[in-house]
Structures are given as C-alpha cells and as structure tokens.
Amino acid sequence: MKKTIKRVLVLVVCVAMVFAMAACSKKEDSSNSGESTTDATSTESTGAEEKGEGVMTYAEYAAAALDSEVTIEAYVQAKQSWWEDKATVYAQDADGAYFLYNMACSEEDYEKLVEGQKIKVTGYKAEWSGEVEIIDATFEVLDGNWIAEPEDVTALLGKDELIDHQNKKVSFTGMTVEPKKDADGNDVAFLYSWDGSGSQGDDLYFDVSKDGATYTFTVESYLCGADTDVYKAVEGLSVGDTIDMEGFLYWYEGVNPHITAIK
C-alpha cells in the first residue's frame, strides 16, 4: 500500500515537472522571438487609442464637408496665440493634425493647454486660402498626454500628397537658403513681413530650396516671437546656408510651413 502511494506521488511529481518545463520553454521561446509582454498601444508612447463616443476619427474628420460640425480628440502640440478669450492651437493625434483657430478659451484655461495635453474639441470645419481648420470651437480638457515626433516630409515637397500632412509637426532636411529682395533690390536671407515692410517682431519670411525648387517658409511671430531661438536663428542666416528645420505644415495659397526650430 505504501509503495502504491509512493508511486502515485512520484507520478504526480513527474507530471508537475513536465508542465513546469513546458511553461519555462514557452516563456523562453517568447523572449527569444522578441515578443513583449507590455502594452504597445499606450497613449503615452504612440498617441493611438479608441475615440470617445461621438468623436470622429481623423479619416472621418478629413472626409467631413466644409462648414459641417465636427468633434475631435487630439493632443496640443503648440499654442500660437491667445486674445480676447480666444486661442489658436496646433493639435495632433496618431493619424493626423488639426489647426484650431480662435477657439473659445479663457486666459485661465489657456494655461492648461500645455504641450501634449489631450483635449476634446467641437466646432466647424472651415478652409481659408487652402488651410483647413476648425473654427467657432469649444473644448474640454481630458486625461492623457502625448507629444508627436516631427515627420520628415522633405521628399514630399512639390508633390500633391504633401497636403495630406497639413498641420502636422514636420521636419525638413538639407535645405538651402535662397535670396529674397529687400526694398532696395538687395539680396537678403529674410524679410520682416512678407514684402519686407515690417520690422523686428513681425513675421519672418525666408526662401529655401531643394532639388531646384524654391519654397517660402515663415516664422510666425505669434507662435515664435523675437525672443525665441528660431527667430534669432533666421535673423542670423546667410544666403547659401544649408539648414535643417522643424515646424508645422501650415498652408496659405500653397505650402507655407510655420518654422519652430532651425539648425
């Protein structure tokens, strides 16, 4: 009787060891194959997530008719301005970007719109000189934080698909500074205001080229004023300089990026 019990116990132990070894083997195979046990869809790392009830995906927003009401959820990437309880903001999610123009916003709430802050916005889709934006909007602050990495769109300059990235945080590499003409007809690297009629503190306009084509880029003074590094960097440019840039893919009668960093 004791031998029978002992054999049963030995058999149980052996079976347990087999299952344990199989479990270890499975764990090692998973580790060796590069599989991760962490959740890769966290909004902290990718910005991708389920939209709330009644909230459009970016594809639905892009397909919506002009003047129609839209509701989106996105993450603040930059604040351009606040004036008379209205804020202008660049926002983005994992699939696309939004320009929120003159959104209703108290000065107190404007302070909450820090880079990365998730918000829900309801307003109307509009277009002005090619720039698609959300106007007459209200917003609420949500839990969540995500900051987009700039997407290099240099290779898309001059191509129709560039507009599909409108308002995104983007980068441009290996661009050459081209001359602009000042009021006296002299070649200069930049102008204060689009026609050179401005002064320090106004928007900066400068031309850059790639593969034989020239484009006009802007430092929007509301977004990056005269005391910012990028404003000073443009003032220090020389014709012929080769530069890399980051900014937002704004549109005005064609591509007109708002640049926020230069090196």
Side-chain angles (χ1 to χ4, degrees):
M1 183 68 175
K2 290 182 179 178
K3 288 184 180 179
T4 302
I5 294 173
K6 186 175 181 180
R7 287 177 181 176
V8 171
L9 290 172
V10 170
L11 180 61
V12 170
V13 171
C14 289
V15 171
M17 290 178 65
V18 169
F19 277 108
M21 291 174 65
C24 289
S25 175
K26 185 176 181 180
K27 183 176 181 181
E28 288 176 0
D29 289 343
S30 176
S31 176
N32 291 337
S33 66
E35 294 178 1
S36 172
T37 58
T38 59
D39 182 3
T41 61
S42 166
T43 59
E44 298 296 330
S45 59
T46 67
E49 63 183 65
E50 293 289 333
K51 297 292 187 179
E53 184 177 355
V55 176
M56 294 174 159
T57 64
Y58 181 77
E60 290 170 335
Y61 166 77
L66 291 176
D67 300 322
S68 64
E69 186 176 68
V70 294
T71 298
I72 60 102
E73 288 176 358
Y75 299 83
V76 174
Q77 300 302 307
K79 297 188 293 188
Q80 179 165 299
S81 63
W82 178 87
W83 181 252
E84 295 183 342
D85 288 338
K86 293 180 180 179
T88 296
V89 173
Y90 279 102
Q92 190 167 334
D93 61 23
D95 300 311
Y98 313 86
F99 188 62
L100 314 175
Y101 182 72
N102 277 356
M103 179 172 62
C105 179
S106 68
E107 188 171 13
E108 180 182 3
D109 284 343
Y110 189 65
E111 297 304 315
K112 300 175 184 177
L113 297 177
V114 296
E115 184 182 19
Q117 177 62 58
K118 185 179 182 181
I119 56 175
K120 179 179 179 180
V121 179
T122 298
Y124 293 87
K125 184 177 178 181
E127 180 181 348
W128 184 70
S129 296
E131 170 65 22
V132 177
E133 55 197 17
I134 298 177
I135 64 171
D136 298 332
T138 59
F139 77 96
E140 59 181 287
V141 174
L142 304 177
D143 290 335
N145 189 280
W146 176 69
I147 298 174
E149 288 294 323
E151 180 179 350
D152 191 333
V153 294
T154 310
L156 296 180
L157 284 168
K159 297 182 179 179
D160 291 342
E161 54 263 43
L162 180 62
I163 198 170
D164 296 334
H165 300 267
Q166 187 177 129
N167 296 321
K168 281 185 180 180
K169 187 185 292 185
V170 296
S171 64
F172 304 90
T173 56
M175 307 290 290
T176 301
V177 177
E178 299 293 340
K180 294 186 80 68
K181 295 291 186 182
D182 66 13
D184 298 320
N186 299 314
D187 286 347
V188 293
F190 71 93
L191 296 174
Y192 293 113
S193 192
W194 68 273
D195 59 355
S197 62
S199 58
Q200 189 177 57
D202 292 323
D203 297 346
L204 298 178
Y205 285 77
F206 60 105
D207 287 352
V208 289
S209 66
K210 187 74 173 182
D211 300 327
T214 298
Y215 309 89
T216 298
F217 285 14
T218 302
V219 174
E220 162 60 59
S221 59
Y222 287 142
L223 181 62
C224 297
D227 59 340
T228 60
D229 290 342
V230 66
Y231 198 100
K232 295 173 183 177
V234 171
E235 288 181 311
L237 290 177
S238 297
V239 174
D241 284 347
T242 299
I243 56 177
D244 296 340
M245 293 167 285
E246 292 180 5
F248 294 97
L249 198 63
Y250 189 77
W251 218 263
Y252 177 74
E253 303 294 345
V255 62
N256 181 217
H258 287 175
I259 299 303
T260 58
I262 287 180
K263 63 179 180 180

mmCIF file of all heavy atoms in Angstrom, residues 180-188 190-191 195-196:
data_model
loop_
_atom_site.group_PDB
_atom_site.id
_atom_site.type_symbol
_atom_site.label_atom_id
_atom_site.label_comp_id
_atom_site.label_asym_id
_atom_site.label_seq_id
_atom_site.Cartn_x
_atom_site.Cartn_y
_atom_site.Cartn_z
ATOM 1 N N LYS A 180 16.164 86.663 -51.042
ATOM 2 C CA LYS A 180 14.954 87.444 -51.270
ATOM 3 C C LYS A 180 15.403 88.880 -51.554
ATOM 4 O O LYS A 180 16.532 89.250 -51.222
ATOM 5 C CB LYS A 180 14.034 87.393 -50.040
ATOM 6 C CG LYS A 180 13.473 86.007 -49.759
ATOM 7 C CD LYS A 180 12.456 86.027 -48.644
ATOM 8 C CE LYS A 180 11.096 86.487 -49.104
ATOM 9 N NZ LYS A 180 10.404 85.547 -50.016
ATOM 10 N N LYS A 181 14.553 89.676 -52.141
ATOM 11 C CA LYS A 181 14.891 91.059 -52.469
ATOM 12 C C LYS A 181 14.283 92.002 -51.426
ATOM 13 O O LYS A 181 13.095 91.926 -51.119
ATOM 14 C CB LYS A 181 14.352 91.427 -53.854
ATOM 15 C CG LYS A 181 14.982 90.642 -55.001
ATOM 16 C CD LYS A 181 16.442 91.019 -55.219
ATOM 17 C CE LYS A 181 16.991 90.320 -56.465
ATOM 18 N NZ LYS A 181 18.437 90.642 -56.674
ATOM 19 N N ASP A 182 15.117 92.881 -50.877
ATOM 20 C CA ASP A 182 14.584 93.875 -49.954
ATOM 21 C C ASP A 182 14.057 95.081 -50.733
ATOM 22 O O ASP A 182 14.038 95.075 -51.980
ATOM 23 C CB ASP A 182 15.635 94.283 -48.917
ATOM 24 C CG ASP A 182 16.834 95.016 -49.525
ATOM 25 O OD1 ASP A 182 16.763 95.429 -50.707
ATOM 26 O OD2 ASP A 182 17.840 95.200 -48.810
ATOM 27 N N ALA A 183 13.629 96.119 -50.041
ATOM 28 C CA ALA A 183 13.011 97.278 -50.690
ATOM 29 C C ALA A 183 13.964 97.984 -51.643
ATOM 30 O O ALA A 183 13.530 98.671 -52.590
ATOM 31 C CB ALA A 183 12.516 98.261 -49.631
ATOM 32 N N ASP A 184 15.276 97.832 -51.428
ATOM 33 C CA ASP A 184 16.271 98.470 -52.290
ATOM 34 C C ASP A 184 16.776 97.552 -53.388
ATOM 35 O O ASP A 184 17.697 97.912 -54.131
ATOM 36 C CB ASP A 184 17.452 98.953 -51.443
ATOM 37 C CG ASP A 184 17.036 99.994 -50.416
ATOM 38 O OD1 ASP A 184 16.198 100.849 -50.769
ATOM 39 O OD2 ASP A 184 17.536 99.945 -49.270
ATOM 40 N N GLY A 185 16.186 96.359 -53.468
ATOM 41 C CA GLY A 185 16.598 95.424 -54.515
ATOM 42 C C GLY A 185 17.813 94.597 -54.164
ATOM 43 O O GLY A 185 18.358 93.899 -55.031
ATOM 44 N N ASN A 186 18.233 94.646 -52.909
ATOM 45 C CA ASN A 186 19.403 93.870 -52.485
ATOM 46 C C ASN A 186 19.002 92.441 -52.118
ATOM 47 O O ASN A 186 17.889 92.193 -51.648
ATOM 48 C CB ASN A 186 20.059 94.530 -51.274
ATOM 49 C CG ASN A 186 20.539 95.933 -51.574
ATOM 50 O OD1 ASN A 186 21.159 96.183 -52.592
ATOM 51 N ND2 ASN A 186 20.216 96.870 -50.677
ATOM 52 N N ASP A 187 19.926 91.500 -52.328
ATOM 53 C CA ASP A 187 19.698 90.124 -51.928
ATOM 54 C C ASP A 187 19.862 89.998 -50.413
ATOM 55 O O ASP A 187 20.886 90.409 -49.854
ATOM 56 C CB ASP A 187 20.692 89.186 -52.623
ATOM 57 C CG ASP A 187 20.365 88.990 -54.089
ATOM 58 O OD1 ASP A 187 19.258 89.364 -54.513
ATOM 59 O OD2 ASP A 187 21.217 88.445 -54.823
ATOM 60 N N VAL A 188 18.863 89.451 -49.761
ATOM 61 C CA VAL A 188 18.923 89.245 -48.316
ATOM 62 C C VAL A 188 18.404 87.840 -47.999
ATOM 63 O O VAL A 188 17.728 87.211 -48.814
ATOM 64 C CB VAL A 188 18.076 90.294 -47.557
ATOM 65 C CG1 VAL A 188 18.672 91.686 -47.715
ATOM 66 C CG2 VAL A 188 16.625 90.268 -48.036
ATOM 67 N N PHE A 190 16.349 87.024 -45.462
ATOM 68 C CA PHE A 190 14.985 87.015 -44.915
ATOM 69 C C PHE A 190 14.385 88.407 -44.996
ATOM 70 O O PHE A 190 15.093 89.408 -45.207
ATOM 71 C CB PHE A 190 14.997 86.540 -43.449
ATOM 72 C CG PHE A 190 15.604 87.543 -42.511
ATOM 73 C CD1 PHE A 190 14.799 88.473 -41.852
ATOM 74 C CD2 PHE A 190 16.980 87.590 -42.301
ATOM 75 C CE1 PHE A 190 15.354 89.418 -40.991
ATOM 76 C CE2 PHE A 190 17.538 88.531 -41.444
ATOM 77 C CZ PHE A 190 16.726 89.449 -40.792
ATOM 78 N N LEU A 191 13.073 88.469 -44.800
ATOM 79 C CA LEU A 191 12.366 89.746 -44.753
ATOM 80 C C LEU A 191 11.494 89.797 -43.507
ATOM 81 O O LEU A 191 10.964 88.779 -43.063
ATOM 82 C CB LEU A 191 11.465 89.913 -45.982
ATOM 83 C CG LEU A 191 12.125 89.995 -47.354
ATOM 84 C CD1 LEU A 191 11.043 90.021 -48.442
ATOM 85 C CD2 LEU A 191 13.020 91.218 -47.473
ATOM 86 N N ASP A 195 6.515 91.265 -47.469
ATOM 87 C CA ASP A 195 7.036 92.155 -48.509
ATOM 88 C C ASP A 195 8.203 93.010 -48.026
ATOM 89 O O ASP A 195 8.636 93.929 -48.723
ATOM 90 C CB ASP A 195 5.912 93.061 -49.023
ATOM 91 C CG ASP A 195 5.296 93.917 -47.918
ATOM 92 O OD1 ASP A 195 5.670 93.745 -46.749
ATOM 93 O OD2 ASP A 195 4.428 94.764 -48.249
ATOM 94 N N GLY A 196 8.707 92.713 -46.837
ATOM 95 C CA GLY A 196 9.834 93.476 -46.323
ATOM 96 C C GLY A 196 9.460 94.791 -45.686
ATOM 97 O O GLY A 196 10.338 95.584 -45.336
#
